[in-house]
Amino acid sequence: EFALHQNYPNPFNPTTEIAFSLSEKVRATLRIYDMLGREIATLIDEEKTPGRYTLRWDAGRIATGVYFYRIEAAGSAEPTAVFKEVRKMVLLR
């Protein structure tokens, strides 16, 4: 099944791991946003096969604060999103 897991550790300084699971082949994007909704980083934007993935994000150049990470997965045959989820994480220095 599709899932976006809570990052670990949380709070973190300066790196964290973000895991997600995909149940079918999709075009997946995973982006980081600040509290104002501005995009800070794109961790992936590519086609992925079913499975569990873990990404490491290094926020060494980012200010302390609350951030959100959002996954969006769209089917290869159907360009509309089949899965979307957002989670919160905290960067503490």
Side-chain angles (χ1 to χ4, degrees), residues 3-90:
L4 179 62
H5 307 285
Q6 187 62 52
N7 67 301
Y8 180 82
N10 190 29
F12 68 99
N13 177 26
T15 62
T16 189
E17 290 186 351
I18 299 171
F20 60 95
S21 301
L22 304 172
S23 61
E24 61 186 74
K25 185 176 180 179
V26 292
R27 175 84 186 180
T29 58
L30 185 76
R31 294 187 171 102
I32 310 290
Y33 297 91
D34 67 11
M35 288 288 291
L36 298 176
R38 295 177 296 206
E39 185 178 324
I40 302 300
T42 298
L43 301 185
I44 62 162
D45 185 5
E46 60 192 45
E47 197 166 273
K48 293 284 191 186
T49 57
R52 182 180 168 103
Y53 297 88
T54 302
L55 303 171
R56 180 178 290 272
W57 183 48
D58 184 346
R61 296 182 179 157
I62 307 296
T64 295
V66 175
Y67 293 89
F68 298 91
Y69 55 105
R70 179 177 193 255
I71 191 166
E72 187 170 326
S76 2
E78 189 78 27
T80 57
V82 294
F83 176 70
K84 295 179 188 177
E85 193 167 344
V86 177
R87 291 197 180 254
K88 181 172 78 170
M89 61 184 162
V90 179

